[in-house]
Structures are given as C-alpha cells and as structure tokens.
C-alpha cells in the first residue's frame, strides 16, 4: 500500500463548548472549540456489507483493465480480503463524507470507516492534500474530493451503477450533483458556524446567505424532476448527494429559526426528503449521523 495515512485522529469538542446541534465541518475556519492534531481517540466501524462477487478489486482493475470483471472472481482469497479493501476517512457529521457512505452502501461495496478530523496531520501522511474530509484509502493510494471518490466507486463496481443508463441522463445526474455543491450547499455555508457550532452571525451575513439559498433553489427546481426521484423513476447518486446537502441546509435554517425557507422555495423537496429518508442507505447514514451528534453533545 502506498502512502497510508498516519493513524487517523479525531478530537472531541468539550461538552461545555459543544453546540446544541453539532454539524458539518463545512466552512473555511475551523471550529474554535476544537484543536486539530489533538489525538484523543480513533474509531473504526467495520462494515462489510456483502460478498464482492461482481466487484473489481481496485488493484486488479488497474493492472488488468482489458479484462477487469473476471480477474478477481477467480482469486480464492479475494472475498476474504475485500472487507479491508477500502477505508472511508472522515466523520459521520460531514455531509460530503455521508455522500460517499451512501454511495458505498448503494453500490454494495464493503468498506470500513475511520474517524478523521479535517486538517489532521501533515500531507502526505494526512491522506488528504487539502486537509479536507472525506478521503478514501484504497490498496493503491488515497483519493480525495467526494465526486472523484464517487466516480472511482462507480469504476470499480460497474454492475451496480447508481447513474442513469443513458449518457444524457448521466450528464443530468452529474449536473445536479455539481449544481447542489457549487451553488446550494455553498450558499448556506456562512450559516453553519452559527447553526451547528454556536457561533455568532450578524444579520447582514445571515440575510445574504438566506437570499443566496432561496436563489439557488430556482435552477434546482428547473432541472430536478421529482418523478419521484430527482432524475426520474429511479434513485440515483443525485438523490444521495442532494439528501446530505439539503438535509444539512434545512437543518441549519431550522436552528436559525427559518425551518420553512427551503420548502417554501421548492415545495417538492419536502415529500422527496421524506421518501429519501426511508431509503435503507440513507436511513443508516442518518442514524449514524444522529448518533455521532449525540455523542458529541455528551
Ligand atoms: N469539495 C470537497 C468538500 C469537502 C469539504 O468541504 N469537507 C469539509 C467537511 S464537510 C471539510 O473538510 N472542511 C474543512 C475545511 O473546509 O477546511 C469534497 O467534495 O470532498
């Protein structure tokens, strides 16, 4: 294995400083109440979800791209090795981490989780050149940026894609994910410090962020189909990504006293959020998120 990350570390927020609703580390400044590089504990949740029959091992695929699908299934040791193949580093409080965790569950790829705070340690030992989470540890090296990780997962699990079957459908699905992350989620970020970590926010910043969120819903309404999923009849990665981001934005607005802002801007989001919450992958991820938040509160 090349450049494995140093022992992943995580830091607890002291109960006295913990906010009412701990949330994602998705803003540029680090939480004042936490200290990067202060190892207190590392957790690892083993999560082998299935046999790996139709899955390409990353190493096999890279070494044998011409005949990837068959190369692993003949290896008698393959199945025993699979649970340790991929390690997702980050936190169940991170929406970008949860986007990948949902994708792993949807694609039925065995993985382990490793707690890792943003900016823990120095590159390359840290595993992520930006210091951000999530990143994925593979037998051949680490991958960062959630969308790139998601594409990598699709590449190693071609038989279980969660993209639409046709090229234009796939383009629209990726378009939605990019749009949600570049515009909607980004618009809400100035609110997270106040909503999730108990920081101060001035009225002008708050109003500007709320206006930006409302504006960001308009193109989303134009492109998302809600039929019943965002890209049509079938669940796709756009639904998983949208769920983590929309739920984070709605949660922040709720804490700040604006629970209906998103639903008023795009009424279809309410029923869609409820439907998505019933999806087993999302239910699992949301349960883990709530549990992590509960532990953080102490
Ligand atoms: N574009 C990145 C965004 C990841 C991101 O912003 N992660 C947050 C946690 S939700 C983080 O690490 N924040 C720390 C920072 O921004 O410095 C991705 O898709 O992976």
């Amino acid at each position: 294995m090349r450049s494995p990350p140093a022992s992943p570390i995580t830091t607890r927020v002291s109960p006295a400083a913990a906010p009412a609703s701990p949330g994602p580390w998705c803003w540029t400044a680090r939480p004042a109440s936490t200290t990067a590089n202060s190892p207190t504990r590392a957790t690892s949740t083993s999560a082998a979800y299935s046999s790996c029959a139709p899955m390409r091992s990353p190493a096999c695929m890279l070494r044998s791209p011409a005949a990837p699908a068959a190369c692993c299934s003949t290896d008698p040791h393959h199945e025993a090795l699979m649970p340790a193949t991929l390690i997702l580093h980050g936190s169940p409080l991170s929406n970008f981490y949860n986007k990948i965790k949902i994708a792993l569950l949807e694609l039925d790829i065995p993985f382990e989780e490793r707690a890792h705070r943003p900016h823990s340690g120095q590159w390359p030992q840290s595993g992520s050149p930006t210091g951000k989470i999530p990143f994925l540890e593979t037998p051949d090296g680490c991958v960062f940026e959630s969308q790139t990780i998601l594409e990598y997962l699709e590449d190693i699990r071609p038989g279980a894609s969660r993209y639409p079957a046709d090229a234009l459908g796939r383009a629209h699905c990726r378009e939605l994910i990019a749009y949600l992350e570049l515009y909607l989620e980004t618009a809400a970020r100035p609110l997270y410090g106040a909503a999730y970590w108990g920081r101060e926010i001035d009225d002008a910043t708050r109003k500007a962020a709320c206006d930006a969120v409302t504006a960001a819903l308009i193109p989303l309404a134009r492109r998302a189909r809600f039929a019943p999923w965002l890209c049509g009849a079938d669940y796709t990665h756009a639904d998983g990504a949208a769920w983590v981001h929309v739920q984070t934005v709605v949660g922040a607005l709720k804490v700040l006293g604006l629970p209906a802002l998103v639903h008023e801007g795009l009424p279809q989001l309410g029923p869609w959020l409820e439907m998505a919450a019933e999806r087993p992958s999302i239910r699992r991820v949301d349960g883990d998120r709530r549990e992590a938040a509960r532990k953080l509160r102490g």
Side-chain angles (χ1 to χ4, degrees):
M1 188 181 299
R2 183 158 43 86
S3 300
S7 304
I9 54 180
T10 188
T11 307
R12 264 187 188 284
V13 175
S14 69
S21 303
W25 285 294
C26 296
W27 61 91
T28 44
R30 295 174 209 173
S33 52
T34 60
T35 311
N37 305 332
S38 301
T40 53
R41 68 173 182 157
T43 58
S44 170
T45 309
S46 177
Y49 290 100
S50 69
S51 74
C52 57
M55 181 174 159
R56 301 169 182 175
S57 107
C60 287
M61 203 187 76
L62 290 174
R63 286 173 202 142
S64 180
C71 69
C72 295
S73 56
T74 54
D75 177 351
H77 304 299
H78 183 214
E79 188 158 348
L81 292 174
M82 287 315 292
T85 298
L86 298 178
I87 303 174
L88 180 61
H89 292 258
S91 161
L93 295 173
S94 154
N95 39 342
F96 287 92
Y97 175 92
N98 285 337
K99 167 186 165 186
I100 299 308
K101 190 164 156 185
I102 289 171
L104 282 158
L105 292 166
E106 286 289 338
L107 296 174
D108 211 5
I109 297 175
F111 67 101
E112 293 179 13
E113 295 181 69
R114 200 70 53 84
H116 198 112
R117 278 190 51 73
H119 306 286
S120 296
Q122 297 298 313
W123 171 257
Q125 289 78 16
S126 64
S128 163
T130 58
K132 295 191 182 206
I133 55 165
F135 64 92
L136 187 76
E137 185 184 340
T138 83
D140 305 303
C142 292
V143 184
F144 77 108
E145 278 297 317
S146 63
Q147 190 56 28
T148 310
I149 298 171
L150 193 148
E151 302 296 348
Y152 170 86
L153 298 178
E154 281 275 320
D155 283 349
I156 63 169
R157 191 77 159 88
S161 177
R162 287 292 182 271
Y163 278 126
D166 63 300
L168 190 65
R170 283 199 293 278
H172 286 163
C173 184
R174 292 186 171 107
E175 200 178 57
L176 273 177
I177 298 172
Y179 180 78
L180 279 156
E181 292 176 0
L182 289 172
Y183 300 96
L184 181 67
E185 205 270 345
T186 305
R189 281 193 175 209
L191 303 172
Y192 293 172
Y196 291 120
W197 300 96
R199 294 187 159 193
E200 295 291 315
I201 185 168
D202 61 71
D203 289 347
T205 305
R206 177 191 169 116
K207 182 175 179 329
C210 290
D211 288 350
V213 168
T214 303
L217 294 171
I218 296 168
L220 184 61
R222 290 178 180 150
R223 179 56 95 193
R225 291 176 56 195
F226 298 105
W229 299 103
L230 295 189
C231 294
D234 297 320
Y235 171 96
T236 68
H237 288 305
D239 294 288
W243 187 84
V244 296
H245 299 314
V246 170
Q247 175 273 332
T248 301
V249 173
V250 168
L253 289 165
K254 197 169 162 187
V255 174
L256 297 176
L258 295 159
L261 190 122
V262 163
H263 301 294
E264 281 164 6
L266 185 46
Q268 297 99 310
L269 276 175
W272 169 82
L273 274 171
E274 281 175 23
M275 179 181 67
E278 292 305 312
R279 188 108 181 150
S281 60
I282 293 179
R283 214 169 41 223
R284 154 82 196 271
V285 164
D286 197 35
D288 291 351
R289 179 186 69 83
R290 288 171 190 275
E291 176 63 13
R294 196 188 58 72
K295 279 191 186 147
L296 195 60
R297 281 196 295 266

